[in-house]
Amino acid sequence: MNRKAQAAKAETPKQTDMLLRQFIGYNMKRAYLQVQEDMARTLEPLGLRVGTFSALAVIMGSPGISQTQLSEVLNIKRSGVVVVVDDLERAGAVERKPVRTDRRAYALHVTQEGSQLWKRAEAAVQAHEAALFTDLEAPEQRALQELLVRAARSAKHTREAGK
Amino acid sequence: MNRKAQAAKAETPKQTDMLLRQFIGYNMKRAYLQVQEDMARTLEPLGLRVGTFSALAVIMGSPGISQTQLSEVLNIKRSGVVVVVDDLERAGAVERKPVRTDRRAYALHVTQEGSQLWKRAEAAVQAHEAALFTDLEAPEQRALQELLVRAARSAKHTREAGK
DNA sequence: TATTGTTATACTCTATAACTATA
DNA sequence: TATAGTTATAGAGTATAACAATA
């Protein structure tokens, strides 16, 4: 890229998206995409993607959970869970154990290897988020957390009420 | 779904994702996905998707913008812009006008029809966000807005510094 | 040589639908 | 009949790479 093009690029951020900035949804999208891209890069060296990282976390926190339950927590379809669990099982992080009371279902468990992987991944993401949000004071980060949770809940309620 | 399954589903929200809730990125994702789904439904009757809505807004705010500039604002590749602009042009909302000084480029302009479409879409999304976030007081909504903008900026700075 | 818009192609994530084996 | 997991397939959104026209 030549000097002229670089200069033009540097000038671009003069808010050509002014009409969009008024929308919470738009700002959510921009913030999310920024963060998610970095998240993926942080997890890659550990052999995880955002989806497998999330699944590993849920199975860690709820040993014995079924794939159907996992699909509800992660808000994806059962068919999508198969791929994610296949991936984690191939990596030796998770096991499908038979359920005595229901031979159709699997109980998902994190292996010892998976447990260690989780610890490393959790620490990596914690460190990464700490670095990522240095421009926000700790109370501001907590405020953001709370507002995001409440916004998601509000949106969910509104949708479910409007059926 | 029978009664037993419904009961099980109703019980599910006992925070099996506890280990994920600590991460801002996770809460951003959940909130964003909730909102984006509703956004898409709001725009559908107007013949718009989230991507074409955003592009229309930017072209409204920056008449004569080129496709390359648009790709930078929207954070997508030039090849992706072609599809979006094709869509808006087919709908009669946007025109590609030749640029005298550069015969390779197009200057994008919103037609009168497109301008009216934008007004309807803007009002629809405003109304929808107002309904969606009723659980948040107006000052909280503003605080969320500001924190999202700063979080995105912080993440961007961190990434660019870490090259 | 570099850039604009374009096309063709591929990849990721997710959804839908049909299937099996159990319940 | 209904459910758990699976498979095959398709769609949306985006990326990469190569191209013609123009700078």
Side-chain angles (χ1 to χ4, degrees):
Chain A
M1 194 185 286
N2 62 31
R3 256 168 277 165
K4 195 174 173 184
Q6 275 186 329
K9 190 170 186 180
E11 284 164 19
T12 307
K14 47 177 170 179
Q15 301 223 337
T16 39
D17 59 349
M18 201 174 49
L19 287 171
L20 289 173
R21 296 260 177 190
Q22 67 178 301
F23 298 114
I24 293 180
Y26 176 70
N27 291 301
M28 255 179 201
K29 181 172 182 175
R30 290 198 75 100
Y32 163 65
L33 290 179
Q34 285 288 344
V35 172
Q36 128 100 25
E37 200 177 315
D38 272 303
M39 184 90 154
R41 259 203 296 276
T42 301
L43 292 171
E44 199 185 4
L46 295 168
L48 291 170
R49 287 165 295 121
V50 175
T52 50
F53 171 79
S54 301
L56 183 58
V58 173
I59 303 168
M60 276 293 294
S62 300
I65 192 174
S66 72
Q67 293 188 187
T68 296
Q69 289 172 315
L70 184 55
S71 79
E72 284 161 9
V73 178
L74 296 178
N75 262 309
I76 57 176
K77 298 294 164 190
R78 293 197 314 270
S79 56
V81 170
V82 175
V83 182
V84 171
V85 174
D86 280 354
D87 199 342
L88 286 169
E89 199 172 41
R90 215 177 304 118
V94 156
E95 281 176 338
R96 285 172 163 108
K97 292 189 178 173
V99 176
R100 293 176 197 284
T101 55
D102 189 341
R103 288 193 298 169
R104 294 171 305 180
Y106 289 121
L108 302 174
H109 290 273
V110 175
T111 64
Q112 208 156 26
E113 192 185 337
S115 182
Q116 289 172 354
L117 175 62
W118 166 251
K119 277 173 204 151
R120 276 184 288 143
E122 186 182 35
V125 175
Q126 280 171 347
H128 202 75
E129 287 211 344
L132 212 59
F133 299 121
T134 37
D135 294 2
L136 297 185
E137 310 285 348
E140 291 176 325
Q141 292 188 24
R142 283 194 295 273
L144 176 56
Q145 286 275 37
E146 195 220 319
L147 287 169
L148 284 170
V149 170
R150 288 179 51 206
R153 196 148 42 206
S154 177
K156 195 176 178 185
H157 288 167
T158 302
R159 179 187 320 164
E160 283 168 0
K163 262 177 190 168
Chain B
M1 195 184 287
N2 62 30
R3 257 168 276 165
K4 194 173 172 184
Q6 276 186 329
K9 190 170 186 180
E11 283 164 20
T12 308
K14 47 177 172 180
Q15 302 224 335
T16 39
D17 58 349
M18 202 175 49
L19 287 171
L20 289 173
R21 296 260 177 190
Q22 66 177 303
F23 298 114
I24 293 180
Y26 177 69
N27 291 300
M28 257 181 199
K29 181 172 183 175
R30 289 198 78 100
Y32 163 65
L33 290 179
Q34 286 287 345
V35 172
Q36 128 99 26
E37 202 176 311
D38 272 302
M39 184 90 154
R41 259 204 295 277
T42 301
L43 292 171
E44 199 185 4
L46 296 168
L48 291 170
R49 287 165 296 121
V50 176
T52 50
F53 170 80
S54 300
L56 183 58
V58 173
I59 302 169
M60 276 293 293
S62 300
I65 192 174
S66 73
Q67 294 188 186
T68 297
Q69 288 172 316
L70 184 54
S71 78
E72 285 161 8
V73 177
L74 296 178
N75 262 311
I76 57 176
K77 298 295 164 189
R78 292 198 314 270
S79 55
V81 169
V82 174
V83 182
V84 171
V85 174
D86 280 353
D87 198 342
L88 286 170
E89 200 172 40
R90 216 177 303 119
V94 156
E95 281 176 338
R96 286 171 163 108
K97 293 189 178 172
V99 176
R100 294 176 197 283
T101 55
D102 188 342
R103 288 193 298 168
R104 295 170 305 180
Y106 288 121
L108 301 175
H109 290 274
V110 175
T111 65
Q112 209 157 24
E113 193 186 335
S115 182
Q116 289 172 354
L117 175 61
W118 166 250
K119 277 172 205 151
R120 275 183 288 141
E122 185 181 36
V125 174
Q126 280 170 348
H128 202 75
E129 287 211 344
L132 212 58
F133 299 119
T134 37
D135 293 2
L136 297 185
E137 310 285 348
E140 292 176 325
Q141 291 189 23
R142 283 194 294 274
L144 176 56
Q145 285 275 36
E146 195 221 319
L147 286 169
L148 285 171
V149 170
R150 288 179 52 207
R153 196 148 42 206
S154 177
K156 194 175 179 185
H157 288 168
T158 303
R159 180 189 318 165
E160 284 168 1
K163 262 178 190 167

